[in-house]
Amino acid sequence: MTFDIVTIFPAMIESALGEGIVSRAIGAKTLTVTVRDLREFTTDRHRVVDDVPYGGGPGMVLKPEPIFRALDAIEAERGSPLTVILTSPQGKPFTQADARRLSGVDHVVLLCGRYEGFDERVRQRATEELSIGDYVLTGGELPALVILDAVARFVPGVVGDEQSVADDSFSRGLLDFPQYTRPAEIGDLHVPDVLLSGNHAAIRRWRKKEALSRTLDRRPDLLADASLDDEEQAILKELRDERN
Ligand code: SAH
């Protein structure tokens, strides 16, 4: 899968992509990420990417032409139609379902805003607008990295164990169950006995119950869309009865 990231701070993206699982996937060519410096698509001597807002008021706005030129260049190189994601606090909230969906796209372009954001006309060239949460950041680089990271985890070969991605929080509409590793005891903190029992059926049921119980306590809103098997439905009913 290929990503193009358009930004005025390429180093910010490159440093984040230099470590960890995503870095390994780039090394293995499972992922291709090209960072495009927006200033390369300016035509003036000072490489200006922003300008004052029409109508007045504080702050600066990202000019449309450099972004259009960057998209034209990417399109010429990769072919169209492009999936172009505009990062914006006004976008649709980005979810695990979006991450999975986008992992099926061959090529995604991420546009990182700065200042007061993009000239409104840039929206004409975007195929979607995504927000990573209800807060405002100083730029779209962190959102682009967040989106890339979450999408990359669904690309086959990026995360070693694909079952772990399927089990993760949100993948089935549930939060993940608690995890423990050695040692079995630290002071008076014990690993639950069932996990040491070697009884796989009991462990599986315990994990289902913990995942359901956490989701019920912390994020009951998720349960409305969760896909539960018969055993999970029965456990959920038990948990609800216990709580009433
Ligand atoms: N004035 C704009 C905010 C601009 S913030 C508004 O109120 O809508 C500058 C840039 O940071 C945005 O263009 C976007 O690229 C990025 N950004 C900030 N918060 C974000 C969020 N929650 N999700 C995605 N992108 C965000």
Side-chain angles (χ1 to χ4, degrees):
M1 178 171 186
T2 301
F3 293 88
D4 283 283
I5 304 183
V6 181
T7 171
I8 61 168
F9 294 125
M12 196 174 163
I13 305 285
E14 274 152 11
S15 78
L17 296 182
E19 311 262 9
I21 285 180
V22 170
S23 161
R24 208 174 57 205
I26 293 170
K29 301 213 170 5
T30 310
L31 295 180
T32 303
V33 183
T34 307
V35 185
R36 316 262 177 176
D37 183 349
L38 187 60
R39 291 191 199 281
E40 303 283 320
F41 300 95
T42 54
T43 50
D44 61 307
R45 197 157 60 87
H46 297 291
R47 313 213 303 164
V48 174
V49 292
D50 58 328
D51 205 341
V52 295
Y54 273 121
M60 300 296 276
V61 176
L62 280 176
K63 290 158 66 64
E65 309 98 302
I67 295 171
F68 288 169
R69 277 191 217 107
L71 288 172
D72 290 344
I74 295 167
E75 205 170 282
E77 206 177 303
R78 312 263 193 221
S80 59
L82 298 173
T83 297
V84 180
I85 299 172
L86 188 130
T87 57
S88 158
Q90 301 179 28
K92 176 199 165 297
F94 176 66
T95 64
Q96 185 80 335
D98 293 306
R100 183 180 317 183
R101 169 178 60 83
L102 291 166
S103 72
V105 174
D106 286 336
H107 178 221
V108 167
V109 183
L110 289 156
L111 300 178
C112 308
R114 278 275 152 182
Y115 319 116
E116 294 303 315
F118 302 92
D119 180 291
E120 187 66 21
R121 291 165 290 186
V122 170
R123 291 198 157 83
Q124 300 295 322
R125 295 285 298 265
T127 54
E128 53 194 290
E129 189 170 330
L130 295 176
S131 163
I132 63 158
D134 289 345
Y135 39 79
V136 177
L137 301 164
T138 55
E141 286 74 16
L142 292 170
L145 288 165
V146 165
I147 293 167
L148 182 152
D149 192 291
V151 172
R153 295 181 77 256
F154 281 107
V155 173
V158 171
V159 173
D161 185 350
E162 263 144 55
Q163 187 57 41
S164 89
V165 176
D167 287 346
D168 276 327
S169 296
F170 309 110
S171 276
R172 289 189 316 123
L174 294 179
L175 301 180
D176 205 355
F177 51 77
Q179 302 276 13
Y180 294 87
T181 186
R182 283 173 285 197
E185 288 173 23
I186 314 173
D188 57 359
L189 301 176
H190 298 265
V191 172
D193 287 336
V194 62
L195 296 179
L196 309 175
S197 69
N199 180 340
H200 296 294
I203 293 171
R204 206 177 32 79
R205 191 171 197 283
W206 181 85
R207 286 180 162 167
K208 282 184 172 177
K209 185 166 183 183
E210 289 297 314
L212 285 160
S213 140
R214 289 207 157 181
T215 311
L216 196 55
D217 290 338
R218 300 180 187 192
R219 293 294 305 275
D221 58 299
L222 295 175
L223 290 167
D225 297 322
S227 56
L228 304 182
D229 63 26
D230 291 346
E231 190 181 24
E232 286 165 333
Q233 307 234 13
I235 298 171
L236 182 59
K237 185 171 178 306
E238 240 172 68
L239 288 167
R240 283 192 164 127
D241 292 345
E242 277 170 25
R243 281 167 170 70
N244 287 334

